[in-house]
Amino acid sequence: FNCKPDATDCCSVAHEHALNEPDFAGVKSMLETACNAQGVQVWYLPKFHCELNPIEQCWGYAKRLYRLCPESSLEADLERNTLSSLNAIPLICIRRFCNRALRYTDAYEKGLNGREAAYAAKRYRGHRAIPKDYLKDFEKSGALENFYKLKNV
């Protein structure tokens, strides 16, 4: 694509339009096709969104572990430290990251805003989803009002 620097209606609009065409919309990507052939389901998650994408939380965990490694400028050490940090993420933490992302997704689907979703995700952290009667629980406890007061201070 050779777009003009000030153009706002060429490539991105064409790309979006092409993706919505029936010929393209129903076609699986090569990655999806290869994974499905192996019995693996592909999930497309929002990029760079730490609440909705568990891989972002895994990266954060791995970076914290990496910072504990001794400093070095040797490429072999850097690679070894990176791989050992990624491999050191416990499976239970990965599951917790996934559950947390599911709670946030569920909260957003129920119409909660960012603060309400954060409160609900913390309040119901033992659940995979926010209960249907969450608003009654919020109103009854008055916790959401206190949460807003604390955050505004």
Side-chain angles (χ1 to χ4, degrees):
F1 297 108
N2 293 322
C3 299
K4 296 178 183 175
D6 58 343
T8 58
D9 61 347
C10 61
C11 295
S12 62
V13 173
H15 179 73
E16 189 68 31
H17 182 70
L19 289 177
N20 291 327
E21 287 295 317
D23 291 343
F24 292 106
V27 177
K28 292 183 180 181
S29 68
M30 289 174 51
L31 172 69
E32 213 170 352
T33 305
C35 288
N36 288 342
Q38 297 295 318
V40 176
Q41 183 180 3
V42 176
W43 290 354
Y44 291 100
L45 300 170
K47 296 177 184 177
F48 313 114
H49 201 298
C50 59
E51 296 169 344
L52 303 176
N53 194 340
I55 193 66
E56 296 295 333
Q57 296 170 58
C58 288
W59 288 128
Y61 194 100
K63 286 192 294 188
R64 186 174 57 83
L65 294 176
Y66 183 84
R67 288 184 192 112
L68 298 174
C69 296
E71 289 187 31
S72 175
S73 59
L74 297 175
E75 189 173 338
D77 291 342
L78 298 174
E79 185 176 345
R80 185 182 66 249
N81 291 342
T82 300
L83 293 175
S84 67
S85 297
L86 288 170
N87 288 329
I89 302 171
L91 182 59
I92 189 72
C93 288
I94 295 170
R95 289 181 177 149
R96 287 178 182 153
F97 297 152
C98 291
N99 285 337
R100 182 174 184 255
L102 287 173
R103 282 193 306 275
Y104 267 96
T105 302
D106 189 53
Y108 287 133
E109 285 176 352
K110 286 183 168 68
L112 280 87
N113 64 28
R115 284 188 175 176
E116 293 167 345
Y119 174 79
K122 187 173 183 179
R123 169 84 169 91
Y124 300 108
R125 69 175 173 261
H127 302 77
R128 288 191 181 151
I130 308 300
K132 291 181 181 179
D133 58 348
Y134 67 94
L135 281 179
K136 292 177 191 173
D137 186 29
F138 288 172
E139 291 169 2
K140 184 171 57 175
S141 68
L144 196 54
E145 288 81 21
N146 293 335
F147 181 75
Y148 278 122
K149 287 178 189 174
L150 289 174
K151 292 293 182 179
N152 288 329
V153 172

